[in-house]
Amino acid sequence: MAYPKLTDKPGMLETAAAIRSGAMSVAEAVDAAITRIEHYDAEIDALAVPDFERAAATAKAMDTRGPVGDQPLFGVPMTVKESFDVEGLQSCWGHERLTDYIAPRDSELVRRLKAAGVVIIGKTNVPVDLTDWQSVNPVYGRTNNPHDTSRSPGGSSGGSAAAVASGMVAGEYGTDIGGSVRVPAHFCGVWGHKTTWGLVSKQGHDHPMMARRPGFLAAHDGALSIAGPLARNAADLAILTQAGAQYALSRKGKPLKQCRLLAITEYPGCPVDASVSEPTEAAIAALIAAGITVDRTSDLIPDLAAQQGHYMRMLNTAMARGAPAPNGKRASATDWFDLLDAQAANEFEWARLFETYDFVLAPPAPVLAVPHNEKRVFDSTIRVNGQDIPGAAGLAWAGLATFPNLPATVLPIGSGHYEGSQLPCGMQVMGPRMSDLDCIHTAGEIGKILHG
């Protein structure tokens, strides 16, 4: 089951190994990445804020100094999402009126990545306020899907996925509350990982309206939202997850053939287009043919309609920070605690399911890469099997792992024909809380079965 690939450039660990062996210097690795960006980005517009001069100077200094301690990604160039603070760089979240905010310090994630040896060469594009499955704003313009430039690369980490898919960089870090890592990975045919909530710090990932206030230091991790990596293979995804993690992660390493999987391919209120369901069914059939146990239904699955209702209310309340909803009603403290109670109950139901199943397979979204739209996807419709459904309904597949705060890895599984274009298709592999490395490893083993 082949899937569309646009580059054969080396990954992060492969680049790090070449630097360690002396086959390539850090300066050469950084210069090659900058050259690729200059070549591809005129058409894709993934890079929002370049930092080439500092990156080149950093690379030269690293070549002179050599690795310091344990630096598994020594000298590897990468980008991060525009919304992460990088000292000295603009962070405006797509707002023209906020371009005067220059980050005074690195975010905690960027500090951890640099400690692992990474060279940050710039930041990638986002939608305004990180609230769409497109990546377009009046400051940086519109990012195009490198597989079809008339399509969205996804959002809100769309610039991230486009940069990785096109070969500009081998790895990236984005954020995800409504599929913002998983959907771009799915749309662009790369690997993405939604981390367990709280595993990777989002300190220094603050809206510039807050961050530029006098005396502001850093906000806490917001409800539901996580930071997660994108890459072109499972091994790079794992090392990026470990590099960003605040806590030590362990891995059970249970062989895939000993695992029991559950496939969830239907969600009330959110049908899946044939362009997604067909490659998904083909992938499941290939796993079963390889001797993997995949159940198609279970009484242990939580009430998904109720979960979606709670997720959307919590998502909207968190994104608006309690401001009045379109109906004019402001969420009360009682409303919020009721949502926390519902979330805790949902987490318990999923934990009980994972006592029987090792992993859950599901689509990351109901459609493939959507055509560019002047409206937000969530304010318009998406085409599913010839019918228009509300764009916001697609968030159900993101909320599947987001509401219970679970990890989920997206791997590319094939391609489908959607709205006149042949496009990549992904699948998400969900696991129990803090099973991040196992999710990534299992996705990697699934990828070997599907792609050899």
Side-chain angles (χ1 to χ4, degrees), residues 241-304:
T241 298
Q242 290 172 296
Q246 302 184 85
Y247 314 110
L249 286 168
S250 60
R251 187 167 73 82
K252 292 181 180 178
K254 187 175 181 179
L256 182 55
K257 286 200 173 183
Q258 296 178 16
C259 291
R260 186 177 180 184
L261 310 183
L262 173 64
I264 298 177
T265 54
E266 295 183 1
Y267 206 115
C270 188
V272 176
D273 190 76
S275 62
V276 175
S277 62
E278 289 173 2
T280 299
E281 292 299 327
I284 292 170
L287 293 176
I288 294 172
I292 311 303
T293 300
V294 185
D295 289 354
R296 301 306 305 265
T297 186
S298 172
D299 292 338
L300 294 170
I301 298 173
D303 182 336
L304 296 183

Side-chain angles (χ1 to χ4, degrees), residues 296-319:
R296 301 306 305 265
T297 186
S298 172
D299 292 338
L300 294 170
I301 298 173
D303 182 336
L304 296 183
Q307 175 173 328
Q308 174 65 358
H310 293 314
Y311 165 62
M312 290 303 295
R313 283 189 289 275
M314 180 174 271
L315 174 68
N316 290 328
T317 302
M319 294 291 284

